Amino acid sequence: MNHSTTLPKKVKIVEVGPRDGLQNEKQFVENQIKIHLINQLSAAGFANIEAAAFVSPKWVPQMAGSDVVMQGIERKPNTIYSVLVPNMQGLEKALAAKADEIVIFGAASEAFSQKNINCSIEESIARFIPVVNAAKEAGVRTRASVSCALGCPYEGDIDPAKVANVVQRMADLGCDEIDIADTIGVGTPGKVKAVFERVSQIFPIARLSGHFHDTYGQSLANIYAALEVGVSTFHSSVAGLGGCPYAKGATGNVATEDVLYLLRGLGIETNVDFEAVARIGGQISKLINRPNGSRAGRAYLAKLGE
Ligand code: HMG
Ligand code: MG
């Protein structure tokens, strides 16, 4: 039963745990563990999994071995396996790995752009032009992520107009989907609505997604606010894995189990198996020796006696 006609009836969840989640682990997570995690997630029903990142291993050592991971996974038909790509070098690796989607990542904040990809916003857009063109030529989908869209660890508050500028540039590049990312989890529902209302004047809401980290505990409320303005794609991470290497104190993405529980309660279809994801969340947390960051996942596993 759908409680409100104003909310989308279906939502696509992009599971980002294997990339955004694991990228922040200090101890290297073996490729076999990553491969098994991705296979379990595709079996649980996700239509889109952010599986790897072809970035400089000097910058993010945890993502070294992304080629081995992409080669080792069982490809489920109709599942989109996405990879992050910061430049042409990354794109070549992504194409060799037969990624279904590449993700370029820019920022709404100059300072964060410098810290994360070592260049200005302007330089990053110039760098993305050949990347997107080559991806298109190869028939690979392109998604663009706009970091710090709701606040920056260095610049503080970010004006929605700045976000809109970057979204416009990403739209001009011809990206298929654009993520509004709250990299450090500082956003609140009013700001979320304001940003989505602004950027949906530039790019269709059906191709915008909400990427929320849970640092200040606002991410579920933020998702609800985004649903109310028509957003129907959200990113989340099993067991709330993650953090951001270039944003001190930032916690992981909103936990997938919590999002699934929220959406199921609202009668919104996701085609993802909550119980299976809760078990996967319990397992990966134990395997990498980290507390399970999902409240819903912990509650479900406690009921099972696990
Ligand atoms: P740089 O140091 O300015 O670049 O880094 P460079 O071209 O001088 O390269 C330095 C070295 O890296 C060279 O190696 C290159 O070959 C190598 P050396 O000659 O010294 O041996 N290199 C690469 N190796 C493998 N794959 C590549 C690659 N490119 C260069 N693609 C660069 C610039 C962009 C490469 C670097 O800053 C970088 O890789 N940054 C990635 C940072 C990152 O992955 N951050 C986390 C992901 S973003 C995120 O999590 C946010 C998101 O979740 C949304 C949100 O929440 O906001 C998406
Ligand atoms: Mg993120």
Side-chain angles (χ1 to χ4, degrees):
M1 183 182 58
N2 197 323
H3 291 277
S4 165
T5 49
T6 59
L7 302 184
K9 291 191 166 42
K10 275 186 181 175
V11 154
K12 176 173 96 168
I13 300 206
V14 181
E15 168 57 51
V16 299
R19 196 287 303 172
D20 203 350
L22 294 183
Q23 77 174 7
N24 205 45
E25 290 300 315
K26 300 273 172 296
Q27 196 83 15
F28 188 75
V29 177
E30 292 306 323
N31 293 330
Q32 245 354 91
I33 293 179
K34 291 174 181 156
I35 290 168
H36 182 60
L37 173 65
I38 295 167
N39 289 342
Q40 284 183 309
L41 292 167
S42 60
F46 292 98
N48 192 339
I49 300 173
E50 203 169 89
F54 291 107
V55 298
S56 168
K58 286 184 185 143
W59 285 66
V60 185
Q62 187 59 253
M63 289 290 107
S66 282
D67 48 348
V68 178
V69 170
M70 287 298 284
Q71 214 172 19
I73 55 177
E74 282 163 34
R75 294 293 186 92
K76 207 172 155 215
N78 303 323
T79 301
I80 295 171
Y81 297 90
S82 312
V83 301
L84 261 67
V85 158
N87 53 17
M88 282 305 284
Q89 202 174 325
L91 181 82
E92 278 153 26
K93 289 173 195 280
L95 295 182
K98 300 201 168 10
D100 302 293
E101 180 179 73
I102 59 138
V103 182
I104 55 171
F105 47 108
S109 132
E110 276 300 341
F112 191 79
S113 182
Q114 290 291 352
K115 296 272 182 199
N116 195 34
I117 50 176
N118 206 20
C119 64
S120 68
I121 296 173
E122 202 56 43
E123 284 164 335
S124 74
I125 301 288
R127 193 181 281 176
F128 295 145
I129 294 171
V131 173
V132 174
N133 287 344
K136 280 192 175 297
E137 223 163 90
V140 173
R141 274 175 60 93
T142 303
R143 168 150 73 75
S145 187
V146 181
S147 289
C148 297
L150 291 143
C152 170
Y154 312 102
E155 293 183 12
D157 194 41
I158 295 286
D159 184 343
K162 277 194 178 174
V163 184
N165 276 341
V166 181
V167 166
Q168 182 69 66
R169 307 297 294 274
M170 300 299 201
D172 292 343
L173 291 178
C175 296
D176 297 295
E177 208 167 292
I178 299 179
D179 315 329
I180 301 303
D182 186 7
T183 314
I184 52 168
V186 290
T188 51
K191 183 84 186 275
V192 167
K193 279 191 176 174
V195 171
F196 274 106
E197 276 164 359
R198 182 81 163 76
V199 298
S200 61
Q201 292 166 11
I202 299 169
F203 197 72
I205 195 99
R207 295 199 275 137
L208 285 168
S209 56
H211 177 112
F212 300 115
H213 286 254
D214 202 35
T215 316
Y216 283 82
Q218 303 294 298
S219 54
L220 286 179
N222 288 343
I223 287 177
Y224 195 85
L227 285 167
E228 285 191 320
V229 293
V231 179
S232 60
T233 301
F234 295 98
H235 298 185
S236 61
S237 172
V238 62
L241 293 174
C244 177
Y246 301 104
K248 243 187 188 165
T251 70
N253 298 87
V254 60
T256 305
E257 299 90 311
D258 298 0
V259 180
L260 291 172
Y261 188 80
L262 169 76
L263 296 177
R264 186 165 75 177
L266 290 166
I268 295 174
E269 186 57 64
T270 61
N271 289 324
V272 179
D273 180 345
F274 165 79
E275 286 77 11
V277 179
R279 286 193 297 271
I280 299 166
Q283 287 166 18
I284 186 68
S285 302
K286 277 188 192 147
L287 272 172
I288 64 171
N289 199 22
R290 177 190 196 282
N292 184 343
S294 168
R295 307 266 304 245
R298 288 201 306 270
Y300 174 76
L301 294 173
K303 209 172 69 175
L304 293 184
E306 287 180 18

Short mmCIF file of all heavy atoms in Angstrom, two decimals, residues 128-169:
data_model
loop_
_atom_site.label_atom_id
_atom_site.label_comp_id
_atom_site.label_asym_id
_atom_site.label_seq_id
_atom_site.Cartn_x
_atom_site.Cartn_y
_atom_site.Cartn_z
N PHE A 128 37.03 15.97 -17.69
CA PHE A 128 35.94 14.99 -17.89
C PHE A 128 35.44 14.95 -19.34
O PHE A 128 34.84 13.96 -19.74
CB PHE A 128 34.75 15.30 -16.97
CG PHE A 128 35.05 15.16 -15.49
CD1 PHE A 128 34.46 16.01 -14.56
CD2 PHE A 128 35.92 14.17 -15.04
CE1 PHE A 128 34.74 15.87 -13.20
CE2 PHE A 128 36.21 14.04 -13.69
CZ PHE A 128 35.62 14.89 -12.77
N ILE A 129 35.68 16.02 -20.10
CA ILE A 129 35.13 16.06 -21.47
C ILE A 129 35.59 14.84 -22.29
O ILE A 129 34.75 14.07 -22.78
CB ILE A 129 35.47 17.39 -22.20
CG1 ILE A 129 34.76 18.55 -21.49
CG2 ILE A 129 35.07 17.33 -23.67
CD1 ILE A 129 35.20 19.94 -21.98
N PRO A 130 36.91 14.60 -22.41
CA PRO A 130 37.30 13.42 -23.21
C PRO A 130 36.86 12.10 -22.58
O PRO A 130 36.60 11.13 -23.28
CB PRO A 130 38.84 13.52 -23.26
CG PRO A 130 39.23 14.42 -22.14
CD PRO A 130 38.09 15.36 -21.92
N VAL A 131 36.76 12.09 -21.24
CA VAL A 131 36.35 10.86 -20.55
C VAL A 131 34.91 10.50 -20.93
O VAL A 131 34.62 9.37 -21.34
CB VAL A 131 36.48 11.03 -19.01
CG1 VAL A 131 35.90 9.84 -18.27
CG2 VAL A 131 37.94 11.27 -18.60
N VAL A 132 34.03 11.49 -20.85
CA VAL A 132 32.62 11.24 -21.17
C VAL A 132 32.47 10.92 -22.66
O VAL A 132 31.74 9.99 -23.03
CB VAL A 132 31.73 12.44 -20.77
CG1 VAL A 132 30.29 12.24 -21.22
CG2 VAL A 132 31.78 12.65 -19.26
N ASN A 133 33.19 11.64 -23.50
CA ASN A 133 33.09 11.38 -24.95
C ASN A 133 33.52 9.95 -25.28
O ASN A 133 32.85 9.25 -26.04
CB ASN A 133 33.93 12.38 -25.75
CG ASN A 133 33.29 13.77 -25.74
OD1 ASN A 133 32.11 13.91 -25.42
ND2 ASN A 133 34.06 14.79 -26.08
N ALA A 134 34.63 9.53 -24.68
CA ALA A 134 35.12 8.17 -24.96
C ALA A 134 34.16 7.12 -24.40
O ALA A 134 33.95 6.07 -25.02
CB ALA A 134 36.52 7.99 -24.37
N ALA A 135 33.58 7.39 -23.25
CA ALA A 135 32.61 6.44 -22.67
C ALA A 135 31.40 6.32 -23.60
O ALA A 135 30.91 5.22 -23.87
CB ALA A 135 32.18 6.89 -21.28
N LYS A 136 30.94 7.45 -24.09
CA LYS A 136 29.78 7.44 -24.99
C LYS A 136 30.09 6.65 -26.26
O LYS A 136 29.28 5.86 -26.72
CB LYS A 136 29.38 8.87 -25.35
CG LYS A 136 28.57 9.51 -24.25
CD LYS A 136 27.94 10.81 -24.73
CE LYS A 136 27.03 11.37 -23.67
NZ LYS A 136 25.89 10.54 -23.34
N GLU A 137 31.29 6.89 -26.79
CA GLU A 137 31.69 6.18 -28.00
C GLU A 137 31.69 4.67 -27.78
O GLU A 137 31.36 3.90 -28.67
CB GLU A 137 33.11 6.63 -28.38
CG GLU A 137 33.27 6.87 -29.86
CD GLU A 137 34.53 7.70 -30.10
OE1 GLU A 137 35.58 7.07 -30.26
OE2 GLU A 137 34.43 8.95 -30.06
N ALA A 138 32.04 4.28 -26.55
CA ALA A 138 32.10 2.85 -26.23
C ALA A 138 30.73 2.33 -25.79
O ALA A 138 30.59 1.14 -25.45
CB ALA A 138 33.13 2.63 -25.12
N GLY A 139 29.74 3.20 -25.76
CA GLY A 139 28.39 2.77 -25.37
C GLY A 139 28.22 2.50 -23.89
O GLY A 139 27.38 1.71 -23.48
N VAL A 140 29.04 3.18 -23.08
CA VAL A 140 28.98 2.99 -21.63
C VAL A 140 28.24 4.16 -20.99
O VAL A 140 28.48 5.32 -21.32
CB VAL A 140 30.42 2.88 -21.06
CG1 VAL A 140 30.43 2.84 -19.55
CG2 VAL A 140 31.12 1.65 -21.62
N ARG A 141 27.34 3.84 -20.09
CA ARG A 141 26.58 4.89 -19.38
C ARG A 141 27.51 5.77 -18.56
O ARG A 141 28.55 5.32 -18.08
CB ARG A 141 25.62 4.23 -18.38
CG ARG A 141 24.28 3.81 -18.92
CD ARG A 141 23.52 3.07 -17.82
NE ARG A 141 23.31 3.90 -16.64
CZ ARG A 141 22.23 4.65 -16.41
NH1 ARG A 141 21.24 4.66 -17.27
NH2 ARG A 141 22.13 5.38 -15.32
N THR A 142 27.11 7.02 -18.37
CA THR A 142 27.92 7.94 -17.56
C THR A 142 27.08 8.58 -16.47
O THR A 142 26.01 9.11 -16.73
CB THR A 142 28.49 9.08 -18.43
OG1 THR A 142 29.23 8.51 -19.49
CG2 THR A 142 29.40 9.98 -17.63
N ARG A 143 27.59 8.49 -15.27
CA ARG A 143 26.96 9.17 -14.14
C ARG A 143 27.96 10.17 -13.61
O ARG A 143 29.18 9.96 -13.70
CB ARG A 143 26.60 8.10 -13.10
CG ARG A 143 26.21 8.61 -11.76
CD ARG A 143 25.22 7.64 -11.11
NE ARG A 143 25.80 6.40 -10.63
CZ ARG A 143 26.55 6.28 -9.53
NH1 ARG A 143 26.88 7.32 -8.81
NH2 ARG A 143 26.99 5.09 -9.15
N ALA A 144 27.45 11.30 -13.10
CA ALA A 144 28.34 12.31 -12.52
C ALA A 144 27.92 12.57 -11.09
O ALA A 144 26.73 12.69 -10.79
CB ALA A 144 28.24 13.61 -13.32
N SER A 145 28.90 12.61 -10.21
CA SER A 145 28.61 12.86 -8.80
C SER A 145 29.06 14.28 -8.44
O SER A 145 30.18 14.67 -8.78
CB SER A 145 29.34 11.83 -7.96
OG SER A 145 28.94 11.96 -6.63
N VAL A 146 28.20 15.00 -7.75
CA VAL A 146 28.56 16.35 -7.31
C VAL A 146 28.72 16.33 -5.79
O VAL A 146 27.75 16.31 -5.03
CB VAL A 146 27.48 17.39 -7.72
CG1 VAL A 146 27.90 18.79 -7.27
CG2 VAL A 146 27.23 17.35 -9.22
N SER A 147 29.97 16.29 -5.36
CA SER A 147 30.27 16.22 -3.92
C SER A 147 30.02 17.56 -3.24
O SER A 147 30.00 18.60 -3.88
CB SER A 147 31.75 15.85 -3.71
OG SER A 147 31.98 14.54 -4.06
N CYS A 148 29.86 17.49 -1.93
CA CYS A 148 29.70 18.68 -1.09
C CYS A 148 28.53 19.55 -1.52
O CYS A 148 28.56 20.78 -1.37
CB CYS A 148 30.99 19.50 -1.06
SG CYS A 148 32.34 18.59 -0.32
N ALA A 149 27.50 18.91 -2.06
CA ALA A 149 26.33 19.66 -2.55
C ALA A 149 25.50 20.23 -1.40
O ALA A 149 24.67 21.11 -1.61
CB ALA A 149 25.48 18.75 -3.43
N LEU A 150 25.72 19.73 -0.18
CA LEU A 150 24.95 20.25 0.96
C LEU A 150 25.85 20.82 2.05
O LEU A 150 25.39 21.13 3.14
CB LEU A 150 24.04 19.14 1.51
CG LEU A 150 22.91 18.79 0.53
CD1 LEU A 150 22.59 17.34 0.52
CD2 LEU A 150 21.68 19.63 0.83
N GLY A 151 27.12 20.94 1.74
CA GLY A 151 28.05 21.49 2.72
C GLY A 151 29.43 20.90 2.50
O GLY A 151 29.57 19.82 1.95
N CYS A 152 30.44 21.67 2.92
CA CYS A 152 31.82 21.28 2.64
C CYS A 152 32.63 21.31 3.94
O CYS A 152 32.46 22.21 4.75
CB CYS A 152 32.42 22.26 1.63
SG CYS A 152 34.20 22.07 1.41
N PRO A 153 33.54 20.34 4.13
CA PRO A 153 34.35 20.35 5.35
C PRO A 153 35.29 21.55 5.42
O PRO A 153 35.75 21.92 6.51
CB PRO A 153 35.15 19.05 5.28
CG PRO A 153 35.09 18.60 3.86
CD PRO A 153 33.84 19.19 3.28
N TYR A 154 35.59 22.16 4.29
CA TYR A 154 36.55 23.28 4.26
C TYR A 154 35.85 24.63 4.09
O TYR A 154 36.24 25.63 4.66
CB TYR A 154 37.57 23.08 3.13
CG TYR A 154 38.15 21.69 3.13
CD1 TYR A 154 37.71 20.72 2.22
CD2 TYR A 154 39.10 21.31 4.10
CE1 TYR A 154 38.22 19.42 2.26
CE2 TYR A 154 39.60 20.02 4.13
CZ TYR A 154 39.15 19.08 3.22
OH TYR A 154 39.65 17.80 3.26
N GLU A 155 34.78 24.64 3.25
CA GLU A 155 34.12 25.92 2.94
C GLU A 155 32.82 26.13 3.71
O GLU A 155 32.21 27.20 3.62
CB GLU A 155 33.83 25.99 1.43
CG GLU A 155 35.09 26.07 0.58
CD GLU A 155 34.80 26.21 -0.92
OE1 GLU A 155 33.65 26.47 -1.32
OE2 GLU A 155 35.75 26.04 -1.69
N GLY A 156 32.36 25.11 4.43
CA GLY A 156 31.11 25.24 5.19
C GLY A 156 29.89 25.19 4.29
O GLY A 156 29.83 24.35 3.38
N ASP A 157 28.96 26.12 4.50
CA ASP A 157 27.71 26.12 3.75
C ASP A 157 27.96 26.31 2.25
O ASP A 157 28.86 27.07 1.87
CB ASP A 157 26.82 27.26 4.29
CG ASP A 157 25.40 27.11 3.81
OD1 ASP A 157 24.89 25.97 3.80
OD2 ASP A 157 24.79 28.14 3.42
N ILE A 158 27.19 25.61 1.44
CA ILE A 158 27.34 25.74 -0.01
C ILE A 158 26.02 26.25 -0.59
O ILE A 158 24.96 25.68 -0.36
CB ILE A 158 27.70 24.36 -0.64
CG1 ILE A 158 29.06 23.87 -0.15
CG2 ILE A 158 27.63 24.39 -2.17
CD1 ILE A 158 30.28 24.57 -0.74
N ASP A 159 26.11 27.32 -1.34
CA ASP A 159 24.93 27.93 -1.95
C ASP A 159 24.38 26.99 -3.04
O ASP A 159 25.14 26.54 -3.90
CB ASP A 159 25.39 29.27 -2.57
CG ASP A 159 24.25 30.07 -3.16
OD1 ASP A 159 23.16 29.49 -3.40
OD2 ASP A 159 24.45 31.28 -3.39
N PRO A 160 23.06 26.71 -3.02
CA PRO A 160 22.48 25.85 -4.07
C PRO A 160 22.82 26.34 -5.48
O PRO A 160 22.89 25.53 -6.41
CB PRO A 160 20.97 25.92 -3.81
CG PRO A 160 20.84 26.24 -2.35
CD PRO A 160 22.04 27.09 -2.01
N ALA A 161 23.06 27.64 -5.64
CA ALA A 161 23.42 28.16 -6.97
C ALA A 161 24.75 27.56 -7.46
O ALA A 161 24.94 27.31 -8.64
CB ALA A 161 23.52 29.68 -6.94
N LYS A 162 25.66 27.31 -6.51
CA LYS A 162 26.96 26.70 -6.87
C LYS A 162 26.74 25.26 -7.33
O LYS A 162 27.39 24.78 -8.26
CB LYS A 162 27.89 26.66 -5.64
CG LYS A 162 28.63 27.93 -5.38
CD LYS A 162 29.75 27.64 -4.38
CE LYS A 162 30.58 28.87 -4.11
NZ LYS A 162 31.56 28.65 -3.06
N VAL A 163 25.84 24.57 -6.64
CA VAL A 163 25.52 23.18 -7.02
C VAL A 163 24.91 23.19 -8.41
O VAL A 163 25.29 22.39 -9.28
CB VAL A 163 24.53 22.54 -6.00
CG1 VAL A 163 24.29 21.07 -6.34
CG2 VAL A 163 25.04 22.69 -4.57
N ALA A 164 23.98 24.14 -8.62
CA ALA A 164 23.31 24.22 -9.92
C ALA A 164 24.31 24.47 -11.04
O ALA A 164 24.20 23.89 -12.13
CB ALA A 164 22.26 25.33 -9.88
N ASN A 165 25.34 25.30 -10.77
CA ASN A 165 26.36 25.56 -11.80
C ASN A 165 27.07 24.28 -12.22
O ASN A 165 27.27 24.04 -13.41
CB ASN A 165 27.44 26.51 -11.23
CG ASN A 165 27.01 27.94 -11.37
OD1 ASN A 165 26.12 28.25 -12.16
ND2 ASN A 165 27.62 28.81 -10.58
N VAL A 166 27.44 23.49 -11.23
CA VAL A 166 28.17 22.25 -11.55
C VAL A 166 27.23 21.25 -12.23
O VAL A 166 27.63 20.58 -13.19
CB VAL A 166 28.83 21.64 -10.29
CG1 VAL A 166 29.61 20.38 -10.63
CG2 VAL A 166 29.77 22.66 -9.64
N VAL A 167 25.99 21.18 -11.76
CA VAL A 167 25.03 20.28 -12.41
C VAL A 167 24.85 20.68 -13.87
O VAL A 167 24.82 19.82 -14.76
CB VAL A 167 23.67 20.28 -11.65
CG1 VAL A 167 22.56 19.63 -12.48
CG2 VAL A 167 23.82 19.57 -10.31
N GLN A 168 24.79 21.97 -14.13
CA GLN A 168 24.66 22.45 -15.51
C GLN A 168 25.84 21.98 -16.35
O GLN A 168 25.67 21.51 -17.48
CB GLN A 168 24.57 23.99 -15.52
CG GLN A 168 24.38 24.58 -16.90
CD GLN A 168 23.01 24.25 -17.49
OE1 GLN A 168 21.99 24.72 -16.97
NE2 GLN A 168 22.97 23.45 -18.55
N ARG A 169 27.04 22.08 -15.79
CA ARG A 169 28.25 21.65 -16.53
C ARG A 169 28.23 20.15 -16.79
O ARG A 169 28.59 19.69 -17.87
CB ARG A 169 29.52 22.02 -15.74
CG ARG A 169 29.64 23.47 -15.32
CD ARG A 169 29.72 24.42 -16.49
NE ARG A 169 30.92 24.25 -17.27
CZ ARG A 169 32.09 24.83 -17.01
NH1 ARG A 169 32.20 25.66 -16.00
NH2 ARG A 169 33.14 24.61 -17.78
#
